[in-house]
Every structure is written in C-alpha cells, then in structure tokens.
Amino acid sequence: MRAGGTVLPGDVARPRTGGWRTGTRPAVDLSRCVDCLVCWIHCPDTAVRQRGAVFQGFDFDLCKGCAICAEVCPTGAIRMVSEETPLDPGGVLPGTGVLADGQG
Amino acid sequence: MAKVELALQVLTGAEATAHAMRQIQPDVVPVYPITPQTPIIQTFSRFVADGKADTVIVQVESEHSAMSAAVGSALAGARTMTATASQGLALMVEVIYIAAGLRAPIVIAVGNRALSAPINIHGDHSDGMLARDSGAVQIYAQDAQEAYDLMVMAPRIAEHPDVMLPVMVGQDGFQVTHSAEGVALLPDPDVRDFVGPYEIPNPLLGGGASSHGTFAMPDSYFELRHQLVQATEAAEAVYAEVAQDYRRRFGRDLPQIDAYRMEDAERAILLIGSAAGTAKEVVDDLRAEGERVGLVALRLYRPFPHAALRAALAGARRVAVLDRAVSPGAYPPLYSDALGALQGSATTLQSYVYGLGGRDLSQRAVRRAFAELALPAADRIGYLGLGGEDGDGEP
Ligand code: SF4
Ligand code: SF4
C-alpha cells in the first residue's frame, strides 16, 4: 500500500463494491429506455455503463443497489428487483430488448 | 567542520522563526493568529507584503481551516507551513492527525501555551501534548536561536521520503516567542540551498492522476497506521542526518538530545524547552559546589529518542523528570515516555511538574529537585513552584 493510502491508476485492479448490495438490484426495461443517460450521470458508483451516448446496462460488480437510477429515470425504465429475479446480461428484463454491444 | 561567523541580531523567538520562513519561502502559509504565535505570522506577513518572500498567505477563519488548507496545499505539491498555539492547536489537532495519516509534510511553528480553562496566554507544553500521538514529529527549541535553527531544519525532516509527516517546531510561549536575544541568521542563499526544492511523490497538481484521503476498511487500515508508526520512527534517524548536515555546513550542533555536563553525573534532570537554560545555571553552580549533577534536555520529543536517552542517562542513578504538562490522574507524558525508555536500566526516575500557565521555574526549585534526588525515592508526583515561584509544592 502506498504511503498515506494514496491510490494511483492501476493500483486497484477491479473494485468490487457490488458485494455491498442488500437484496435488490436495478433492472431495465430496454423497450422504455431512451438513452438519455440520466441514470449514468446520477449513479454514485459508475455502475451504469455507456458507449458514446448509448445506455449499456449495469455493472453488478460495482452497483451497490442504492436505487438512485430507478428514482431518476424519466421514463420509468428502471425498477429495483430481487437478486433472485432472472435478468438478461447487464440487468435487462427478459424480452424487453438486447443491449447494443450484445454482451451485456 | 565549517563554522559560519555571523553577526548577532536582537530578535525574539517569533521574529527569528519568521526570518527562517522568509528564507525558506514556503509556497503557501494558511494561518490564523493566536497569542503567543501571532508575532510569527505578523512578522512573516510583513516580509511577504514587503516582497521579501514569495508566499501565498491564506487567511482562514480558524485553525481547523488553516490546517485543512495546509493538507490540500502540501498534497497539491506546494511547500506549506503554518503556525499556531494553545486553543488554536487544539482546534488543529483533528486535522494534524489527518495530515500525518495522509503523509502531508507540513511544518507547524508552535508557540507553546497553556490550555483553557482557566484561560491563560502563557507558556507550557499542554498544547503540544494534545498532538503527541498524531504521528507528527515534535521538536522543541530552548531559545530563539534554536527556534530559528530548528525551523530551518524542519522542512528537510518533514519532506524526507522516509518521513513525509507534519513537523511541529515548538518554542515556549513568551519565554522564547517574545524574549529578545542575540540570534545569528544564516545567509538567505545558504538556507535555500540547505532546504532544497519541495518534492513529494504523486502531487495532486503533478500532472498524473492520484486519489488521496481514501477510505480504508479493516483489511487495510491497520497496515496504513503501521506505516505511519514506521514513518514517525524513521524521523529519528532523519533528524540526526539533517542535524549532522546542519552542523557540517554551518557549525551549529543541535543533536536530538542536549546532554549537559553528564560525563560523570550521578543525578540528572530531564526536561524539554526553555527551562534548560535555568537548569544549566543550577548545574554549573552545583558542580562548583562539588556535586556530580547534569542536565538532559530533549529537542526531539516525537519520535521519542529511546536509545539515545538511555545512553545519555547511562551513568545517572537518579533522574528528576520535569514535565511542563499534566495528565490528570496519571503520571505526566515525559515521565511516562522516559520510564518506557529506561525499562530494565538501573536508573530510577522521579516525576515533577513545573511551570504550568507560564509560571517561571526558579533556580531554587531546580536545586530542590536535585536535593530530593539524594533522598529515598518518593512514589508521587512533585509540583515545583506550586503555591508560588519558590513554592514547596503545597497549594
Ligand atoms: S442502483 Fe443504480 S444508481 Fe445505484 S449503484 Fe446501482 S446502478 Fe448505480
Ligand atoms: S435514465 Fe432511464 S431512459 Fe435514461 S438512459 Fe437510463 S435507463 Fe435509459
């Protein structure tokens, strides 16, 4: 560890704050998503992924389940669901669409 | 050893400290005035206003803010100093812990003063002891000349790669801050050359990305605090190295421990700060009367120079430890530290408290401590000067 707890780029390979969730996680109805990225700018944990101006779902290694994204989404595309609810990659509700990068 | 011959100027400890700051030219000085530190920053501000030092003075609304600004400034990559005393230091202490933990090398000039209540503006070491366990290095001057010399040495200690810690340079309130005496200042270029450029790893304004002040969970906090312990411990060797270079260049010797007439001393006094002058006079008088007595005064208090103190006191059977601070309900700090350093040695210690709130330590009181060392050890704390300057310890 660096003196004073200083952290430089690359010091932490992969932070996994996702372990802090307490039972629920965000799920997106892709058919209602308009790529406004309001969720992306509000997420305190950089857990909303985007490519350019296109919404790319959630990174559950980082998402702490705070529900801010669900609160701010202007189209109501995001809702919090139980960890047990089956989701497509990236937190997409099954049958609502496929993420642009196809890998979720 | 080169000896630089310089004319003496009549300066107070505070003025001498301000001259050291003028010569060092820190980039940033966030500061808030408080007696008896005020003449340090007042004098230094005048130097800056007159164009004699290229420093940004940040006027803040409290010492908590002063130290907070200092942390940001030091980590940004700017050489940073501040000054405080007493209640101001008390307010600063929270952030001194943070500065030490973040390894921010800030030099803090302290005009040591008593703590309230009752309110008192005069000297003792209670304020410094508040920051004793912060990880900050603490050095204490005996007089105005030392206040100057130690201030010049301080940035090199603070910024050493093994240390990277705040360094508090203490001088007794009024007895040093406001007492004018002959002080020899070094030439400006010599000081600048001695101090050198400010270099820290990963400064915030250094062009690279870095996060400071990060959160540490139970899986890493202990290790990071242990790093701080090691850094503070490393400051002992760094102090010695810097003092040696100071002596080599300028012919002034300021070892971490000032051992005075200890050659064959059987009885000794151990203390910190300006009372060393009075104690040395008494030692001289008692020596003239044939008594084998000596004085050990610490300049370096944190890290505590355990081995050096053991060596300095090796021949003494009895030592009176004079604290200028109390720890109500327990033995005072210097005594406790010395006891730890002398574990297992044949030297026995006697605890005394003196000089709270600026009360002078009289020669008679020092004589009394030496005389009592010839008596059987007492299992209590003695109070020198309680009940009046020559008081016998009864309130
Ligand atoms: S719940 Fe939404 S806003 Fe909160 S951390 Fe997860 S993705 Fe980010
Ligand atoms: S806030 Fe809602 S609509 Fe906007 S990008 Fe996020 S999920 Fe899509």
Side-chain angles (χ1 to χ4, degrees):
Chain A
M1 275 172 278
R2 293 178 194 279
T6 299
V7 176
L8 300 187
D11 278 358
V12 181
R14 186 77 181 133
R16 289 185 178 273
T17 46
W20 297 22
R21 289 199 304 277
T22 56
T24 60
R25 58 178 177 161
V28 62
D29 176 345
L30 262 193
S31 68
R32 297 171 73 171
C33 173
V34 297
D35 291 326
C36 67
L37 296 183
V38 168
C39 56
W40 170 80
I41 207 162
H42 278 83
C43 172
D45 293 293
T46 63
V48 175
R49 300 182 310 175
Q50 107 289 357
R51 179 187 293 163
V54 181
F55 174 82
Q56 289 293 321
F58 306 102
D59 182 337
F60 290 116
D61 281 349
L62 302 182
C63 171
K64 289 195 272 200
C66 67
I68 289 174
C69 53
E71 182 70 26
V72 299
C73 174
T75 69
I78 303 173
R79 58 189 168 93
M80 302 304 288
V81 298
S82 156
E83 293 283 350
E84 277 74 48
T85 305
L87 297 175
D88 285 348
V92 177
L93 284 162
T96 64
V98 177
L99 292 172
D101 71 0
Q103 46 184 293
Chain B
M1 183 203 306
K3 174 85 184 152
V4 182
E5 291 297 340
L6 297 163
L8 289 179
Q9 302 183 39
V10 178
L11 296 172
T12 64
E15 289 166 344
T17 301
H19 273 287
M21 292 171 72
R22 172 183 62 73
Q23 295 176 316
I24 294 164
Q25 292 212 52
D27 300 305
V28 177
V29 172
V31 71
Y32 191 84
I34 183 167
T35 302
Q37 171 281 112
T38 304
I40 297 177
I41 192 55
Q42 191 175 326
T43 308
F44 180 67
S45 298
R46 201 179 63 229
F47 290 147
V48 173
D50 291 348
K52 290 177 179 158
D54 186 14
T55 296
V56 176
I57 295 181
V58 185
Q59 293 183 331
V60 287
E61 79 286 8
S62 77
E63 288 83 355
H64 192 277
S65 302
M67 198 60 199
S68 299
V71 169
S73 158
L75 294 179
R79 179 171 275 138
T80 306
M81 293 181 160
T82 186
T84 192
S86 187
Q87 307 308 118
L89 180 54
L91 192 50
M92 228 181 227
V93 162
E94 183 199 356
V95 194
I96 292 178
Y97 270 72
I98 294 170
L102 293 179
R103 310 291 294 282
I106 300 157
V107 173
I108 309 167
V110 181
N112 289 104
R113 167 187 148 182
L115 290 173
S116 298
I119 190 167
N120 172 295
I121 58 168
H122 291 276
D124 71 32
H125 299 155
S126 308
D127 53 359
M129 294 304 150
L130 274 180
R132 183 188 62 172
D133 300 334
S134 64
V137 174
Q138 290 198 14
I139 48 187
Y140 288 84
Q142 294 177 16
D143 53 30
Q145 181 69 60
E146 286 197 5
Y148 169 80
D149 292 326
L150 294 173
M151 198 67 182
V152 173
M153 287 163 55
R156 287 258 311 255
I157 302 165
E159 298 160 21
H160 191 284
D162 295 347
V163 180
M164 300 293 299
L165 288 172
V167 171
M168 298 165 60
V169 183
Q171 53 183 302
D172 288 350
F174 290 95
Q175 279 137 338
V176 179
T177 56
H178 287 61
S179 297
E181 51 190 327
V183 176
L185 303 181
L186 298 168
D188 294 359
D190 289 12
V191 171
R192 246 156 252 167
D193 186 52
F194 178 80
V195 174
Y198 182 75
E199 279 162 6
I200 60 163
N202 314 306
L204 278 165
L205 298 183
S210 57
S211 283
H212 301 256
T214 52
F215 185 69
M217 290 288 279
D219 64 356
S220 53
Y221 178 88
F222 201 167
E223 282 71 23
L224 287 164
R225 293 308 283 184
H226 184 248
Q227 279 188 0
L228 170 61
V229 169
Q230 290 177 312
T232 308
E233 287 174 355
E236 188 177 355
V238 170
Y239 179 97
E241 181 186 312
V242 172
Q244 191 187 20
D245 191 34
Y246 199 77
R247 189 176 59 132
R248 188 181 58 79
R249 294 197 200 203
F250 309 126
R252 290 188 198 156
D253 197 16
L254 292 107
Q256 57 198 32
I257 287 185
D258 178 14
Y260 184 75
R261 305 193 75 168
M262 286 298 296
E263 318 80 60
D264 60 346
E266 292 174 337
R267 284 172 291 146
I269 279 180
L270 169 65
L271 51 69
I272 292 172
S274 64
T278 307
K280 284 176 184 176
E281 298 233 354
V282 175
V283 166
D284 287 345
D285 291 348
L286 291 175
R287 283 274 177 181
E289 293 163 24
E291 300 200 37
R292 286 163 61 180
V293 295
L295 169 78
V296 173
L298 296 191
R299 293 195 182 89
L300 183 65
Y301 176 62
R302 279 293 180 273
F304 198 77
H306 295 96
L309 182 65
R310 253 197 315 276
L313 295 174
R317 285 184 303 108
R318 302 285 310 280
V319 177
V321 185
L322 272 57
D323 271 273
R324 204 173 183 185
V326 287
S327 177
Y331 281 100
L334 178 58
Y335 176 84
S336 303
D337 291 325
L339 200 61
L342 293 170
Q343 287 178 72
S345 85
T347 308
T348 58
L349 303 180
Q350 192 73 50
S351 176
Y352 290 93
V353 170
Y354 75 98
L356 297 190
R359 182 158 299 171
D360 282 330
L361 178 69
S362 71
Q363 295 197 14
R364 225 192 85 182
V366 177
R367 274 180 170 268
R368 191 189 121 212
F370 274 123
E372 288 181 359
L373 287 182
L375 306 172
D379 185 20
R380 65 179 183 90
I381 301 168
Y383 292 89
L384 297 172
L386 183 66
E389 214 168 272
D390 289 332
D392 56 7
E394 302 307 323

